[in-house]
Every structure is written in structure tokens, then in C-alpha cells.
């Protein structure tokens, strides 16, 4: 413990000396134009910490809002990396204090102050495990969507500090076409609140397609909740084993059961019904019987009830 303390002290002394060197050496570059984030942050990295109380005196509103959030309430004490209070994220504040209010002397999380990826890296110094482990290189990271794009540290509106009151509202700023589907007549119970976008997706990155949380394929994602459709069946229906989304639109549809098209049209995309049971079967033929249209109109699944597959020995045609 004793020797560890000494090492820390030595590192600190060396650090302060370095800071002094860098600051005197770069006095002229302090007038660098605002917005050169990289330069600003390298200066800050070399700066000095002044302590949270100093910041509080001038930024009362941000401090109060912050204290009501999980970061402000407890986490910073629990997290050793966060002993620097405000300066954990905003970086050492001495320069900003010496030159009161100079925005370029403090790390700013606005898009003019810092690139999204740079901001994400700061957050990821703590949030880099579990569901966050695959952030780097994820679809959002790649496309310049950073942590502060979706989250607000000081003035969150929704659960988990998101910037909108609900997830669909947040996501719709960029995925309007998808979010619009949950307003359709038939939809996953997202509007009702029993499912949220993150029931199926991990916005922080995933090893699966389409940022899906479960299963390496879309089908595995579906059957993680609808296990009874997983199979294997004695009699498989090829498109079911292949892709649930051939027939279902996961976000919402104007047809019953989230179907991409109404039955029988859905079935007729693949099956030529003019060839439907050409022989009499249990007393009817669809082609010639007077009741044929009615039968078809009432839907193929009236007879082919086990449309996802059958385990009955005689269930080849999914009747049972
Ligand atoms: C003596 C008063 C004072 C102190 C102390 C102070 N600031 Fe500031 N700060 C200001 C002023 C003035 C501005 C400029 C505000 C503006 O232009 O909207 C500013 C701007 C900022 C900004 C940029 C705001 C923006 O609009 O992007 C951040 C971030 C910030 N301060 C954080 C801190 C932190 C962290 C501390 C403690 C290390 C701190 N400040 C200490 C006065 C102060
Ligand atoms: C120094 C470590 C640290 C840094 C840096 C940090 N966080 Fe956190 N954050 C925490 C801890 C610890 C918690 C857990 C608080 C708790 O559970 O009480 C937390 C919680 C959260 C939560 C969850 C809040 C909730 O309601 O459960 C969000 C969202 C979050 N942080 C986003 C961010 C973002 C965005 C950044 C970057 C701007 C960031 N964090 C930077 C340590 C950090
Ligand atoms: C595309 C929007 C989006 C982006 C970008 C994003 N988040 Fe989130 N985050 C969410 C949503 C939605 C939730 C709530 C659902 C959940 O828990 O997964 C959440 C939850 C969290 C939580 C609390 C739950 C948990 O998993 O611990 C933390 C912490 C968090 N985010 C941190 C971050 C950090 C750090 C980054 C950047 C590396 C980031 N987020 C980027 C949307 C986003
Ligand atoms: C966990 C990281 C983190 C901590 C800790 C933190 N901030 Fe911030 N701060 C941010 C982010 C991210 C933004 C961008 C706006 C937002 O997300 O709410 C920001 C924005 C600001 C702004 C600019 C004005 C605004 O609202 O956009 C000021 C001023 C500020 N913070 C001051 C402080 C003060 C004072 C503290 C300490 C009480 C503090 N911050 C602690 C991450 C942090
Ligand atoms: C600021 C804009 C923005 C926000 C907000 C946003 N996204 Fe994205 N999202 C993107 C971009 C850009 C991509 C990459 C698109 C691509 O690769 O075609 C993406 C990709 C995705 C993908 C993967 C698509 C694929 O084809 O692999 C999913 C799933 C996704 N986002 C879900 C969400 C969810 C859920 C939310 C809300 C929690 C959200 N996004 C919020 C911009 C955003
Ligand atoms: C019940 C699970 C589920 C829920 C809830 C869900 N999604 Fe999806 N999402 C999926 C599946 C499965 C796919 C892949 C579809 C495909 O491959 O055709 C997908 C694809 C996407 C894509 C990629 C779009 C594309 O055309 O490739 C985006 C973006 C997306 N979802 C956003 C969202 C948003 C935003 C929400 C919340 C409003 C949400 N999802 C809710 C299951 C879900
Ligand atoms: C996170 C769990 C979850 C995942 C993943 C999921 N669902 Fe669902 N699904 C539900 C819930 C909950 C309902 C509503 C059940 C109810 O209302 O009885 C539902 C309902 C449905 C319905 C019936 C709608 C109706 O009108 O009765 C269909 C069809 C469906 N899901 C297909 C899918 C498909 C296809 C996938 C994959 C793309 C999928 N689900 C992924 C949870 C999930
Ligand atoms: C060939 C088209 C097709 C494919 C592929 C398909 N389904 Fe369906 N699904 C249907 C039809 C048609 C219905 C409506 C059945 C009815 O009304 O009796 C339905 C109904 C459902 C229902 C709600 C009623 C019920 O039986 O519980 C769920 C949940 C469902 N499907 C999940 C899935 C899952 C999960 C997959 C992928 C493993 C999948 N479906 C693949 C055509 C399909
Ligand atoms: C995406 C294309 C596709 C869709 C949509 C589709 N099917 Fe199929 N169906 C197939 C394929 C492929 C087979 C396997 C054919 C084979 O083995 O000869 C099959 C097999 C069948 C069989 C068993 C036939 C046999 O000879 O074994 C029945 C019955 C059937 N489908 C009914 C339906 C019904 C009813 C619908 C609508 C709810 C439907 N299908 C939607 C592609 C589809
Ligand atoms: C009144 C009940 C009934 C209805 C409604 C019905 N079917 Fe059938 N279907 C059967 C029977 C019975 C067989 C088995 C015929 C046999 O044993 O040769 C069959 C066989 C099939 C086969 C496999 C044999 C072949 O001809 O390829 C397909 C595919 C099929 N049906 C598709 C459909 C589609 C698509 C619809 C809706 C347009 C539909 N069925 C409506 C009773 C029905």
C-alpha cells in the first residue's frame, strides 16, 4: 500500500511537471480556432483538475439536473474512475477557469465541440462491458451515431436517460419508416408498452444481423419468444424454417397476424392454386365445387391449420 502510494505520487509529480511544460510550450496555440476538438482535448488532457465545487458555482442549473440522475446520485462515488466529478467527462477545468467561460478550454459534448465517436470513447471508458461490449464498429458507431446522440447526461427525457420520452420517439428521428409501422392496424404490442424496440434490438451493438438481441438469424430472434414455432417438425413448411419475415412483418402490418399480405394472396405468391387438389378429397374439390370460392375466401388456413409445420404422422399437408 505504502509503495503503491509513493508510485502514484511520483506519477502525479511527473504529470504536473509535464502539464506545466506543455502549457508553457503551447501558449501560442491556445488561440487556436474553436472547434478543433482534437487539439482542445489534448490540451485538456494535459490540464489540471479543479474539483466539482468550482464548476457548481457557475453552472447551477446543469449541476442540479445532473444530481438528479444516476450518475450524479451514486455512481460516481462507486466508480473509482469518476473521482473527478464533472471533470470526469468534461476534462480538467483549470484552463476554463483561468479564462472564464472560454468554451474551447473545456470538453464540450455538442457536435461543434466534439465528434460523436470521441464522445462515445469517453462514455465507453466506463460502459464497455456486457451489453455494451460490441459498441465499437457497430452499425450506429459506424454511422456517426454516438452515445450523446441518444442519451442526455444532464436533461434526459425518458427511461435510461434517453433524449426522448419513449423509444419509438427517439428512434423515429432516424428510422421513421420502421417506427411508422407500429401505428398500423396490427402490430407488436410496442404502442401498448409491453414491448419496446430494445426487446428485440440492442442499439449498442450485437453479433447478430440487424442489431438483433437474440439468435444469429432472424428466425432465432422470433423463436426466442415464440418457442412453439421453433420446430423441428416432422413435416416442415419450407418458408417457415427459412425466414419468418417471408410472411410476417415484425414491426406491424395492416393485415391480421402481422402478415405481409392477406391470405389467400400470401399463399398464392408461391402456390399455384389452379392446381389445388385436383381430385375429390373428403367430398369436395376446390376447383369445381360450388362452394369452392367460399372455401378459398374463408382462407387457406381454415384447412391448413398447422401452417408453421406439423408433427402429426399424416400432417404432410398441414391439416393437423
Ligand atoms: C467562473 C464561472 C465558471 C466556472 C467556475 C466554470 N464555468 Fe463553465 N462556463 C462558464 C461560462 C460563462 C461559459 C460560457 C457559457 C456560454 O457561452 O453559454 C461556460 C461554458 C462551459 C461549457 C460549455 C457550454 C456549452 O454551451 O457548450 C462547459 C461544458 C462548462 N462550462 C463546464 C464547466 C466545468 C466542468 C466546470 C468546472 C471544472 C466549469 N465549467 C466551471 C463559466 C464557468
Ligand atoms: C466514470 C464512469 C462513467 C462514465 C465516464 C460515464 N458513465 Fe454512465 N454510468 C456510470 C455508472 C457507474 C452508472 C450506473 C449508475 C447506477 O446504476 O446507479 C451509469 C449509468 C448510466 C446510464 C443508465 C442510467 C439509468 O437510468 O439506469 C446511462 C444511460 C449512462 N450511464 C450513459 C452515459 C453516457 C452517455 C456517458 C458519456 C457521456 C457516460 N454514461 C459516462 C458510470 C459512468
Ligand atoms: C441509438 C440510440 C442509442 C445509442 C447510440 C446509445 N444508446 Fe444507450 N440506450 C439506448 C436505449 C434505447 C436504452 C434503453 C434500453 C436498454 O436498456 O437497452 C439504452 C440504455 C443504456 C444504458 C442502461 C442500460 C444498460 O445497458 O446498462 C446505458 C448505461 C447506456 N445506454 C449507455 C450508452 C453508451 C455508453 C452509449 C455509447 C457507447 C450508448 N448508450 C449509445 C439507446 C442508445
Ligand atoms: C457522465 C459524463 C458527464 C458528467 C459527469 C458531467 N457532464 Fe456535463 N455534459 C455531458 C454531456 C454528454 C453533455 C451534452 C448535453 C447532455 O448530454 O445533456 C454535457 C453538457 C454540459 C454543459 C453544456 C450545456 C448543456 O446543457 O448542453 C455544461 C455547462 C455542463 N455539461 C456542465 C457540467 C457540470 C457542472 C458537471 C458536474 C456537476 C457536469 N457537466 C458533469 C456529460 C457529463
Ligand atoms: C441519429 C440517427 C439514429 C437514431 C436516433 C437511431 N438510429 Fe438506428 N441506425 C442509424 C443508422 C445511420 C444506421 C445504419 C443504417 C444502415 O446501415 O443502413 C442504423 C442502424 C440500425 C439498425 C440496423 C439495421 C441494419 O440493417 O443492420 C437497427 C436495428 C437500428 N438502427 C435500430 C435503432 C433503434 C432501436 C433506435 C432507437 C433506440 C435507433 N436505431 C436510433 C441511425 C439512427
Ligand atoms: C418483435 C421484435 C422487434 C421489435 C419489438 C422491433 N423490431 Fe426492429 N426488427 C426486428 C426484426 C426481426 C428485424 C429484421 C427484419 C428483416 O430482416 O426483414 C428488424 C429490423 C429493424 C431495422 C432494420 C430495417 C430494415 O429494413 O432492415 C430497424 C431500423 C429496426 N428494426 C428498428 C426498430 C425500431 C425503431 C423499433 C421500435 C419501434 C423496433 N425495430 C422494434 C424485430 C423487432
Ligand atoms: C421479445 C419477444 C418477442 C419477439 C422476439 C417476437 N415476438 Fe411476436 N409477439 C410478442 C408478443 C408479446 C406478442 C403479442 C402476443 C399477444 O398479444 O398475445 C407477439 C405477437 C406476434 C404475432 C401475432 C399477432 C396477432 O395478431 O396475434 C405474430 C404473428 C408474431 N408475434 C410474429 C413474430 C415474428 C415473425 C417475430 C420475429 C420477426 C416475432 N414475433 C418476434 C413477442 C415477441
Ligand atoms: C408461409 C407463411 C408463414 C411463415 C413463413 C411464418 N408464418 Fe406465422 N403465420 C402465418 C399465417 C398464415 C398465420 C395466421 C394463422 C391463422 O390465422 O390461423 C400465422 C400466425 C402466426 C402467429 C400467431 C398465431 C399463432 O399461431 O400463434 C405467430 C406467433 C406466428 N405466426 C409466428 C411465426 C414465426 C415465429 C415464424 C418463423 C419461425 C412464422 N410465423 C413463419 C404464416 C406464416
Ligand atoms: C414463400 C413461398 C411460400 C409461401 C408464401 C407459402 N408457401 Fe406453402 N410451401 C412452399 C414450399 C417451397 C413448399 C414445399 C413444396 C414441396 O416440398 O414440394 C410448401 C409446401 C406447402 C404445403 C405442403 C405441400 C406438399 O406438397 O407437401 C402446403 C399445404 C402449403 N405449402 C400451404 C401453404 C399455405 C396455406 C400458405 C399460405 C398461408 C403457404 N403455403 C404459403 C412455399 C410457400
Ligand atoms: C377446404 C379445405 C381446404 C382449403 C380451404 C384449402 N386447401 Fe389446400 N388442401 C386441402 C386438402 C384436403 C389437401 C390435400 C390434397 C391431397 O391429399 O391430395 C390440400 C393440399 C394442398 C397443397 C398440396 C397439394 C398441391 O396441390 O400442391 C397445397 C400447396 C395447398 N393445399 C395449398 C392451399 C392454398 C394456397 C389454399 C388457399 C388458396 C388452400 N390450399 C386452401 C384442403 C384445403
Amino acid at each position: 500500500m505504502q509503495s503503491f502510494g509513493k508510485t502514484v505520487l511520483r506519477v502525479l509529480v511527473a504529470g504536473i511537471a509535464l502539464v506545466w511544460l506543455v502549457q508553457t510550450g503551447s501558449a501560442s496555440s491556445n488561440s487556436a480556432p474553436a472547434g478543433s476538438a482534437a487539439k482542445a482535448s489534448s490540451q485538456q488532457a494535459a490540464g489540471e483538475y479543479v474539483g466539482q465545487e468550482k464548476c457548481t458555482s457557475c453552472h447551477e442549473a446543469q449541476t442540479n439536473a445532473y444530481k438528479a440522475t444516476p450518475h450524479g446520485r451514486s455512481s460516481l462515488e462507486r466508480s473509482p474512475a469518476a473521482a473527478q466529478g464533472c471533470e470526469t467527462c468534461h476534462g480538467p477545468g483549470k484552463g476554463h477557469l483561468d479564462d472564464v467561460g472560454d468554451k474551447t478550454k473545456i470538453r464540450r459534448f455538442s457536435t461543434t465541440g466534439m465528434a460523436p465517436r470521441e464522445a462515445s470513447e469517453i462514455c465507453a471508458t466506463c460502459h464497455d462491458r456486457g451489453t455494451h461490449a460490441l459498441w465499437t464498429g457497430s452499425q450506429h458507431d459506424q454511422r456517426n451515431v454516438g452515445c450523446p446522440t441518444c442519451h442526455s447526461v444532464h436533461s434526459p427525457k425518458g427511461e435510461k436517460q434517453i433524449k426522448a420520452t419513449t423509444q419509438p420517439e427517439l428512434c423515429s428521428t432516424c428510422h421513421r419508416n420502421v417506427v411508422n409501422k407500429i401505428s398500423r392496424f396490427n402490430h407488436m404490442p410496442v404502442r401498448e408498452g409491453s414491448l419496446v424496440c430494445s426487446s428485440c434490438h440492442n442499439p449498442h451493438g450485437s453479433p447478430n444481423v440487424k442489431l438483433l438481441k437474440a439468435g444469429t438469424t432472424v428466425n432465432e430472434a422470433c423463436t426466442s419468444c415464440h418457442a412453439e414455432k421453433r420446430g423441428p417438425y416432422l413435416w416442415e413448411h419450407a418458408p417457415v424454417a427459412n425466414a419468418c419475415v417471408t410472411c410476417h412483418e415484425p414491426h406491424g402490418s395492416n393485415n391480421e397476424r402481422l402478415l405481409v399480405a392477406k391470405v389467400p394472396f400470401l399463399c398464392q405468391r408461391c402456390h399455384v392454386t389452379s392446381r389445388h387438389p385436383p381430385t375429390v378429397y373428403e367430398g369436395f374439390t376446390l376447383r369445381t365445387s360450388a362452394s369452392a370460392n367460399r372455401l378459398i375466401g374463408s382462407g387457406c388456413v381454415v384447412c391448413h391449420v398447422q401452417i408453421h409445420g406439423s408433427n402429426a404422422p399424416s400432417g404432410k399437408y398441414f391439416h393437423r
Side-chain angles (χ1 to χ4, degrees):
M1 211 54 227
Q2 194 79 13
S3 74
F4 173 74
K6 270 187 195 152
T7 316
V8 168
L9 198 66
R10 239 179 266 134
V11 169
L12 271 177
V13 169
I16 289 167
L18 185 70
V19 163
W20 182 79
L21 274 174
V22 169
Q23 286 209 325
T24 21
S26 67
S28 58
S29 71
N30 272 354
S31 53
S36 56
K39 195 171 270 174
S41 58
S42 74
Q43 280 170 11
Q44 283 147 14
E48 285 173 52
Y49 293 102
V50 297
Q52 175 150 328
E53 289 68 33
K54 289 268 179 15
C55 320
T56 310
S57 58
C58 293
H59 297 289
E60 212 188 325
Q62 277 88 4
T63 307
N64 290 342
Y66 171 75
K67 282 189 172 155
T69 67
H71 283 131
R73 273 201 308 268
S74 61
S75 56
L76 296 182
E77 284 114 56
R78 268 197 268 144
S79 165
Q84 312 295 357
C86 315
E87 295 166 292
T88 310
C89 294
H90 289 289
K94 186 165 183 305
H96 177 62
L97 253 67
D98 289 348
D99 225 338
V100 173
D102 187 341
K103 288 193 196 178
T104 63
K105 305 263 174 67
I106 191 90
R107 255 192 221 151
R108 293 159 61 224
F109 287 82
S110 63
T111 40
T112 52
M114 197 189 298
R117 182 161 297 168
E118 210 184 325
S120 299
E121 276 166 13
I122 293 164
C123 310
T125 55
C126 297
H127 299 289
D128 62 347
R129 282 149 207 246
T131 56
H132 297 277
L134 296 173
W135 167 260
T136 307
S138 67
Q139 282 93 323
H140 284 137
D141 180 38
Q142 269 182 23
R143 294 291 299 274
N144 248 0
V145 182
C147 322
T149 315
C150 292
H151 294 285
S152 171
V153 165
H154 294 278
S155 39
K157 293 216 179 90
E159 272 175 38
K160 305 293 177 195
Q161 296 194 225
I162 57 172
K163 278 185 162 173
T165 48
T166 64
Q167 285 191 27
E169 192 189 326
L170 173 71
C171 313
S172 74
T173 52
C174 304
H175 301 292
R176 177 156 297 284
N177 57 339
V178 170
V179 175
N180 280 348
K181 291 180 183 166
I182 65 168
S183 323
R184 289 178 175 174
F185 153 74
N186 202 274
H187 52 267
M188 289 287 181
V190 171
R191 269 187 341 202
E192 294 72 11
S194 42
L195 285 184
V196 283
C197 310
S198 62
S199 306
C200 298
H201 298 286
N202 182 352
H204 306 115
S206 154
N208 308 317
V209 293
K210 310 282 182 191
L211 292 177
L212 287 167
K213 265 182 160 171
T216 49
T217 63
V218 170
N219 270 33
E220 283 172 32
C222 307
T223 54
S224 72
C225 291
H226 300 287
E228 77 287 357
K229 304 282 190 288
R230 182 178 286 130
Y233 297 104
L234 183 57
W235 303 103
E236 301 275 358
H237 192 187
V240 177
N242 192 35
C244 311
V245 290
T246 311
C247 298
H248 296 286
E249 163 51 73
H251 302 105
S253 139
N254 283 326
N255 306 309
E256 292 288 347
R257 309 289 184 203
L258 302 172
L259 291 170
V260 295
K262 285 188 166 52
V263 177
F265 308 111
L266 172 68
C267 316
Q268 287 167 345
R269 285 183 175 182
C270 303
H271 296 287
V272 187
T273 44
S274 60
R275 283 177 46 239
H276 196 268
T279 53
V280 179
Y281 186 83
E282 289 175 0
F284 74 90
T285 80
L286 286 175
R287 218 153 38 121
T288 56
S289 152
S291 58
N293 286 339
R294 202 152 22 97
L295 285 168
I296 293 175
S298 67
C300 317
V301 287
V302 170
C303 297
H304 301 285
V305 285
Q306 298 296 333
I307 197 61
H308 299 97
S310 170
N311 281 323
S314 58
K316 183 170 190 290
Y317 299 114
F318 315 133
H319 293 106
R320 44 187 74 85

